[in-house]
Amino acid sequence: MARQASNDKTSKPKQKEVILPSKVERVHRLLSSPKTKLYCLFLKQTIPLFDSFNTFLQSDKPLIYVLRREILALLTDLYTRFVKPSSITFTSNLLKVNYTERKNKKNREDLTIGAETRIHLRLVKLTSEEETTFYQSIREFFMAACDYIIKKLPVNDPLLHHAEVADVKVRSNQKFCSVEYFIDKLSMALVSDTASDKNSMKDQLEVQFAHYQIENLSPDITEAERIDITWNMIAKIKGTDGKPKYSELSKLMLGILVIPHSNADSERIFSQVRKNRTETRPNLSVSTLSSLMVVKTYMTSTDKKCYEHTYTSKQLKSAKSATYQALQN
């Protein structure tokens, strides 16, 4: 019986070992899939929309006065790709569009997915279930993007709404209440010799703002490359008495434009600091690092290389003296 049991044990068929595909094979299979190409073509058509907004945020120009409009323009562009037009125009407030309701969404043939995506979709010949999954994924992508914009971006911040008062191109439509909004926030920086207290400053601003709204500004001013340049030019406009006509108003507007529209400038500074305070320069003092940052920022603003700048003999003598003292230590 022991021999029989041994024979029964040896007669059992061996189980085949399951060989799982390698990571390289799985990646190859995924990238070779026509469905993957379908999603990639959709992203190729859609991602430039976000790239454009990201480029706007990375700009070193003062753009706080148009940030709210740019956010709403991005949101509108997303809506038009998957929400029925009637659902968008029916609501006066873009933030109140009910884009999650199925009845407010476009049918699959009306979704904006790009010409290349539609051509490939006809060639792939997906099953009915796969096609439904694809279109549902498109809608979920757009909804997730809208959710992020509404929840994360400060589109409801009153500061962004009032900052639009600095836009000279729509000055006739602006209200003095937007100027008043910034008076309390910037009053310490605005008080000058001609405005001894907040009330007199407010009176001057109200008068200057009323005149500014009907001022016939030249194209050189309104079409300037940067809005801060525009307001610097407005600050130089003189009245019949030969004095600056918009002295207080231009100061307030330039104060508004100092407010950053993103953290791109801060990130640039941190990047410059990391490039200068390296492992090979661990003992670089804060004062020296600060001086380097000032010089580099100045050179960047002039669009000149360090070897293209000219220095006075006094500056060169000071640099030589500082170098000598550093070497002595």
Side-chain angles (χ1 to χ4, degrees):
M1 290 183 65
R3 185 179 298 176
Q4 185 177 357
S6 176
N7 291 336
D8 291 342
K9 188 179 292 185
T10 56
S11 63
K12 287 183 179 179
K14 293 183 179 181
Q15 293 182 350
K16 291 184 179 180
E17 185 179 354
V18 179
I19 302 176
L20 296 175
S22 66
K23 184 182 291 186
V24 175
E25 290 174 329
R26 294 199 302 273
V27 171
H28 178 266
R29 185 184 304 169
L30 179 65
L31 295 180
S32 302
S33 171
K35 289 190 290 185
T36 301
K37 183 177 180 180
L38 187 63
Y39 284 101
C40 288
L41 289 173
F42 165 73
L43 292 175
K44 176 186 174 183
Q45 196 270 346
T46 308
I47 285 180
L49 177 66
F50 301 99
D51 286 342
S52 177
F53 185 72
N54 190 46
T55 301
F56 166 83
L57 294 178
Q58 294 293 324
S59 175
D60 58 355
K61 298 178 181 179
L63 297 171
I64 188 69
Y65 69 104
V66 290
L67 178 57
R68 180 174 175 272
R69 272 178 282 174
E70 288 293 327
I71 295 174
L72 292 177
L74 174 62
L75 188 61
T76 302
D77 205 337
L78 287 169
Y79 283 159
T80 58
R81 294 167 184 255
F82 76 107
V83 180
K84 292 179 179 178
S86 57
S87 301
I88 302 173
T89 56
F90 179 77
T91 309
S92 58
N93 187 350
L94 285 174
L95 302 179
K96 301 296 183 180
V97 174
N98 192 357
Y99 55 86
T100 58
E101 285 287 339
R102 180 62 187 92
K103 63 180 181 180
N104 294 332
K105 298 174 188 176
K106 291 181 177 180
N107 296 326
R108 58 175 59 180
E109 63 271 11
D110 296 324
L111 291 172
T112 303
I113 60 176
E116 286 187 275
T117 311
R118 291 201 181 279
I119 293 172
H120 188 69
L121 184 60
R122 288 193 289 267
L123 296 175
V124 173
K125 296 180 180 179
L126 300 176
T127 64
S128 177
E129 183 179 352
E130 289 175 334
E131 191 171 339
T132 300
T133 301
F134 170 71
Y135 282 115
Q136 182 60 28
S137 300
I138 300 303
R139 294 189 182 96
E140 290 176 358
F141 175 89
F142 286 134
M143 285 191 294
C146 293
D147 287 342
Y148 182 88
I149 291 171
I150 294 173
K151 294 177 181 178
K152 299 293 184 180
L153 298 185
V155 67
N156 279 321
D157 194 323
L159 185 144
L160 297 187
H161 175 74
H162 291 296
E164 294 178 3
V165 73
D167 190 352
V168 297
K169 294 182 179 179
V170 293
R171 61 186 181 279
S172 60
N173 298 327
Q174 299 301 321
K175 305 294 182 182
F176 184 69
C177 62
S178 294
V179 176
E180 287 184 302
Y181 176 85
F182 288 102
I183 289 176
D184 292 333
K185 296 181 180 298
L186 304 175
S187 59
M188 293 302 295
L190 289 173
V191 174
S192 64
D193 295 336
T194 58
S196 57
D197 56 53
K198 188 183 294 185
N199 288 332
S200 62
M201 179 183 63
K202 185 179 292 188
D203 290 341
Q204 289 188 50
L205 284 169
E206 189 169 10
V207 172
Q208 291 181 13
F209 182 73
H211 283 276
Y212 153 74
Q213 286 190 295
I214 62 170
E215 181 76 40
N216 185 20
L217 300 175
S218 67
D220 291 340
I221 296 177
T222 57
E223 301 299 329
E225 183 182 1
R226 295 166 56 109
I227 189 65
D228 51 351
I229 295 176
T230 294
W231 275 104
N232 271 304
M233 296 170 73
I234 292 175
K236 297 176 182 178
I237 297 175
K238 295 183 179 180
T240 55
D241 57 357
K243 296 180 181 179
K245 194 174 180 181
Y246 303 110
S247 56
E248 299 302 322
L249 184 64
S250 60
K251 194 183 299 182
L252 180 135
M253 295 302 177
L254 289 171
I256 295 173
L257 297 175
V258 169
I259 302 171
H261 63 281
S262 72
N263 64 345
D265 281 337
S266 301
E267 293 295 334
R268 290 190 190 100
I269 294 297
F270 286 130
S271 177
Q272 287 183 5
V273 169
R274 286 193 293 268
K275 289 178 181 178
N276 285 275
R277 178 174 268 176
T278 60
E279 293 180 358
T280 58
R281 306 170 77 183
N283 297 325
L284 194 65
S285 67
V286 175
S287 60
T288 303
L289 181 62
S290 177
S291 299
L292 283 172
M293 293 297 100
V294 170
V295 172
K296 286 180 178 291
T297 303
Y298 168 72
M299 289 183 175
T300 303
S301 65
T302 58
D303 292 327
K304 288 184 179 180
K305 306 297 182 183
C306 58
Y307 52 82
E308 295 175 338
H309 283 266
T310 56
Y311 303 93
T312 63
S313 57
K314 183 179 179 180
Q315 288 174 324
L316 294 174
K317 185 178 180 180
S318 298
K320 186 176 180 180
S321 176
T323 304
Y324 175 79
Q325 292 178 11
L327 291 175
Q328 292 299 315
N329 296 333

